[in-house]
Amino acid sequence: MRSLLSPREIARAVGVSESTLKRWVDAGAVATTRTPGGHRRIPFAEAVALIRRSGVPLRHPAVLGLPEVGADVVAPGAPGAGDRLYDLLAQDDVAWARGFVISLYVAGWTLPAIFDGPMRTALTRIGELWRHDGQGIFLEHRATQICLQALLQLRGMLPGPPADAPFALGAAPTGDPYLIPSQMAAVIAADAGLREHNLGPETPIDALRRAVAHHRPRLVWVAMSTTPDDPRSVAAELGDLALQLEEQGGVLAVGGRAAATLGPISAPGLHRLDSMGELAALARGLRAGAAQRA
């Protein structure tokens, strides 16, 4: 993916005339920058945003450095996307599986819709294969790596946050080896305009508390996919973390299929979430509140 593209390149990518693309630019539909010689250039993230807003199909994705995108175009919310992604992951179609996820985003799917829908569906099915297929664990690990690549590529397609944007960080706790949920949360935070940092799996709560003291984030997420050995102890630690965040003006979001094992946690500023969509709404609200106070 290139950082800047010419109007001619984007016009070719979407199959419109260069004059049409320039009219969109002149109308303010797409932001541009200029080279030292005065030529207009369009940031990659802005080009993707234009395609998503306009609904114009991406006819020549290779022009944008996305050669694997466009083989499967699925309208936002259409059924069957999870099954299609599962088939690609299970068949070892690495490039097309990654490209399919990206194509959903380019076609107008929101990130929460992709994560809570097709990606969750496909990974859940892959994760259950070990029960009746000797290759199940191998397939799950490979699918995880493919989806991680897609998540990182999606992150690269988003505009960078302002330097003064609120900070967000998160992780999966000790005993939780899963990579995908916390990385999804990081991409959600970035999409909401926050400066994000994912500490990854197997992160002690104490390490999160130290990171909170250092970065003073507005949002901390904890993704829990594995039931902890001592749920009560983890619940107490999360309660203390929420109190620390509340004193610094931040909030704690706890989610994942194992979060319910913690039982009730009474702490101000702690949000129990059931989906990436809920996390996105929380992150957007925090970003909007910060912008109003600025």
Side-chain angles (χ1 to χ4, degrees):
M1 296 183 295
R2 293 165 49 198
S3 59
L4 293 173
L5 299 130
S6 69
R8 176 179 296 178
E9 289 172 317
I10 296 176
R12 179 166 177 260
V14 299
V16 301
S17 67
E18 188 176 356
S19 60
T20 296
L21 197 288
K22 287 182 176 179
R23 283 198 299 271
W24 292 350
V25 171
D26 293 338
V30 56
T32 64
T33 185
R34 289 190 180 271
T35 67
H39 299 290
R40 286 186 289 197
R41 292 293 181 265
I42 299 172
F44 177 83
E46 183 65 25
V48 173
L50 170 67
I51 295 167
R52 283 170 48 79
R53 289 195 305 268
S54 65
V56 176
L58 185 56
R59 300 188 182 280
H60 301 285
V63 175
L64 303 185
L66 301 170
E68 300 146 356
V69 171
D72 295 281
V73 179
V74 181
D83 293 335
R84 176 58 179 155
L85 179 57
Y86 168 81
D87 290 339
L88 292 169
L89 292 172
Q91 294 166 10
D92 198 22
D93 284 336
V94 177
W96 291 119
R98 185 175 63 243
F100 179 71
V101 174
I102 304 304
S103 73
L104 295 178
Y105 180 69
V106 173
W109 288 64
T110 66
L111 292 176
I114 295 171
F115 298 166
D116 290 330
M119 194 171 283
R120 174 183 286 182
T121 297
L123 288 175
T124 298
R125 289 183 62 187
I126 290 284
E128 293 173 349
L129 287 177
W130 66 271
R131 300 179 185 274
H132 51 81
D133 187 335
Q135 294 192 98
I137 295 177
F138 152 66
L139 293 172
E140 181 181 12
H141 285 206
R142 187 184 63 198
T144 295
Q145 290 305 314
I146 294 170
C147 288
L148 276 175
Q149 293 172 22
L151 289 171
L152 293 174
Q153 192 167 357
L154 285 170
R155 176 61 187 92
M157 297 171 73
L158 301 176
D164 61 348
F167 203 81
L169 61 87
T174 300
D176 194 323
Y178 288 92
L179 300 165
I180 295 291
S182 191
Q183 186 59 52
M184 283 182 175
V187 178
I188 290 291
D191 188 46
L194 304 177
R195 292 178 295 148
E196 91 288 359
H197 185 52
N198 175 27
L199 299 179
E202 297 281 1
T203 300
I205 302 300
D206 182 63
L208 273 176
R209 297 194 64 174
R210 293 175 185 272
V212 166
H214 178 76
H215 291 289
R216 303 185 70 83
R218 287 283 288 125
L219 171 66
V220 172
W221 70 83
V222 175
M224 301 192 62
S225 301
T226 301
T227 300
D229 293 334
D230 187 351
R232 289 186 179 181
S233 176
V234 173
E237 288 185 286
L238 290 175
D240 291 341
L241 177 61
L243 288 173
Q244 177 188 358
L245 273 165
E246 196 268 339
E247 292 172 356
Q248 297 180 185
V251 299
L252 175 63
V254 180
R257 62 175 179 258
T261 65
L262 300 177
I265 305 175
S266 179
L270 189 148
H271 298 257
R272 304 287 288 265
L273 307 181
D274 295 321
S275 68
M276 289 295 166
E278 291 181 2
L279 178 63
L282 177 62
R284 287 194 299 267
L286 293 172
R287 182 70 183 93
Q292 291 176 355
R293 291 191 295 272

